[in-house]
Amino acid sequence: MSCSGGLRPEDIVNLEAYPIADPDAPPSAASARAAPARDALVERLRSELDSNQYCVLPAFMQRAAREQAVAEAMAARHMAHHIRDRRNCYLQRDLDPSLPEDHPRNLLFETSSRMIAYDLIPADSPLKTLYHWAATRRLVADIVGAEALYGNADPYQPANMLCFEDGDRSSWHFDSGNAFTVTLMLQAPEAGGAFEMVPNARSDRDPNHDYLRTVLQGERPQDIVEVAREPGSLCIFRGCNSLHRVSPVAGGVLRVMGVLVYETEPGVVGDPEVNETVYGPRVAITG
Ligand SMILES: O=C(O)CCC(=O)C(=O)O
Ligand SMILES: [Fe+2]
């Protein structure tokens, strides 16, 4: 762990483009001046998220902070857990013989990525400082329309780094559990690694199996949206009904994505069995 003293939130977030005043700070003339710009920003991003199922905040993180976070990922890289699986879009690995072979439930695809858990990231990492800053949490809450958001209380989950080496990819899937997902692109790969989405591929009422089958079998390229992002971009998306994937990464540069996990209630921790599959055998609870 570093003892150099970490960057302050003001040095991490690009406050010129994103005037997000700290809600815990006493009101000041500067925060009063910034309020209308913040309100307009929130309004725009909120409506983008509602219509597209994602919104992007380019250049959200400042360059020096991002470079520090990438250096931390490189230092922890050898401890990352390599997740390699064949899975369906519901994140299951087993087949259901009672359903047709081409039912989405039975279409398994290769997925491969590397997860650096929260506890492997230095305490003063800019990623953690950004994650724990009340202004970030408030901004995300306002954009997703949550009354309040809380940090995740798991030892491994709150903020982590999802990495893709040459050949890694994430197959089509829905995120389970959380109504929205927040990612922060820290480093782009040389090639590949595109974040692709089929917005509203299903709904809470309609599992849309026939349509999903056509997407999964590559028959609906026209429905795929590529979410363009630069290093430093924050992305908020609703991944529970919008199918998404990361295309295969190519080249020697690691694709590094910060993942920020916020909850609508305090004290949320992960399921130990799920944690073991995501973060590896070292997190298994024994005895
Ligand atoms: O790496 C990405 O761009 C997205 C990863 C993803 O699917 C997720 O975090 O749910
Ligand atoms: Fe996902």
Side-chain angles (χ1 to χ4, degrees), residues 131-132 150-159 178 261-263 267-270:
Y131 174 76
H132 291 291
Y150 302 87
N152 174 289
D154 190 84
Y156 310 107
Q157 290 186 354
N178 288 352
V261 181
Y262 291 112
E263 308 289 349
V268 173
V269 295

Side-chain angles (χ1 to χ4, degrees), residues 77-93:
R77 184 179 183 172
H78 66 284
M79 294 181 285
H81 178 55
H82 185 188
I83 305 153
R84 189 163 185 191
D85 252 333
R86 283 172 61 75
R87 66 174 188 201
N88 65 19
C89 62
Y90 311 108
L91 307 174
Q92 298 159 312
R93 302 180 194 122

Side-chain angles (χ1 to χ4, degrees), residues 162 164 173 175 181 183 195 229 237 244 246 255 257:
L162 177 61
F164 293 74
H173 67 280
D175 291 343
T181 303
T183 61
F195 182 49
R229 289 168 306 175
F237 64 95
H244 56 282
V246 177
R255 179 188 193 267
M257 192 62 77

Side-chain angles (χ1 to χ4, degrees), residues 150-232:
Y150 302 87
N152 174 289
D154 190 84
Y156 310 107
Q157 290 186 354
N160 39 65
M161 295 181 183
L162 177 61
C163 303
F164 293 74
E165 288 184 10
D166 187 33
D168 288 348
R169 81 223 32 213
S170 174
S171 58
W172 285 123
H173 67 280
F174 297 107
D175 291 343
S176 58
N178 288 352
F180 64 91
T181 303
V182 184
T183 61
L184 177 64
M185 173 157 264
L186 296 172
Q187 182 162 267
E190 262 161 33
F195 182 49
E196 297 175 329
M197 197 170 211
V198 179
N200 298 314
R202 69 173 181 189
S203 70
D204 291 343
R205 277 178 295 110
D206 184 1
N208 224 2
H209 289 139
D210 288 335
Y211 176 72
L212 293 186
R213 189 187 63 247
T214 61
V215 174
L216 296 168
Q217 292 185 324
E219 292 160 21
R220 306 288 307 179
Q222 67 275 27
D223 294 358
I224 301 174
V225 178
E226 181 173 335
V227 180
R229 289 168 306 175
E230 303 288 315

Side-chain angles (χ1 to χ4, degrees), residues 6-237:
L7 293 171
R8 300 170 309 150
E10 298 78 10
D11 301 320
I12 296 171
V13 175
N14 174 1
L15 290 177
E16 262 177 50
Y18 301 99
I20 54 168
D22 189 338
D24 294 338
S28 68
S31 61
R33 268 198 309 279
R38 185 191 183 281
D39 291 348
L41 174 76
V42 165
E43 196 45 49
R44 177 173 63 77
L45 294 167
R46 208 179 152 139
S47 97
E48 273 178 39
L49 179 63
D50 282 341
S51 38
N52 302 333
Q53 303 305 307
Y54 71 87
C55 65
V56 178
L57 290 71
F60 185 76
M61 189 185 232
Q62 306 222 43
R63 189 189 178 108
R66 187 172 62 70
E67 286 173 354
Q68 185 179 324
V70 170
E72 291 162 355
M74 298 315 279
R77 184 179 183 172
H78 66 284
M79 294 181 285
H81 178 55
H82 185 188
I83 305 153
R84 189 163 185 191
D85 252 333
R86 283 172 61 75
R87 66 174 188 201
N88 65 19
C89 62
Y90 311 108
L91 307 174
Q92 298 159 312
R93 302 180 194 122
D94 57 318
L95 297 172
D96 183 343
S98 71
L99 292 169
E101 269 175 31
D102 64 352
H103 187 281
R105 175 75 182 67
N106 284 335
L107 295 175
L108 305 188
F109 298 96
E110 190 86 14
T111 191
S112 172
S113 60
R114 293 139 215 279
M115 188 58 108
I116 300 174
Y118 184 81
D119 67 322
L120 299 177
I121 301 170
D124 65 358
S125 167
L127 185 69
K128 286 189 174 177
T129 304
L130 175 76
Y131 174 76
H132 291 291
W133 195 31
T136 315
R137 210 161 51 234
R138 190 68 249 167
L139 176 70
V140 175
D142 288 348
I143 294 170
V144 303
E147 205 160 296
L149 288 178
Y150 302 87
N152 174 289
D154 190 84
Y156 310 107
Q157 290 186 354
N160 39 65
M161 295 181 183
L162 177 61
C163 303
F164 293 74
E165 288 184 10
D166 187 33
D168 288 348
R169 81 223 32 213
S170 174
S171 58
W172 285 123
H173 67 280
F174 297 107
D175 291 343
S176 58
N178 288 352
F180 64 91
T181 303
V182 184
T183 61
L184 177 64
M185 173 157 264
L186 296 172
Q187 182 162 267
E190 262 161 33
F195 182 49
E196 297 175 329
M197 197 170 211
V198 179
N200 298 314
R202 69 173 181 189
S203 70
D204 291 343
R205 277 178 295 110
D206 184 1
N208 224 2
H209 289 139
D210 288 335
Y211 176 72
L212 293 186
R213 189 187 63 247
T214 61
V215 174
L216 296 168
Q217 292 185 324
E219 292 160 21
R220 306 288 307 179
Q222 67 275 27
D223 294 358
I224 301 174
V225 178
E226 181 173 335
V227 180
R229 289 168 306 175
E230 303 288 315
S233 294
L234 189 80
C235 177
I236 302 175
F237 64 95

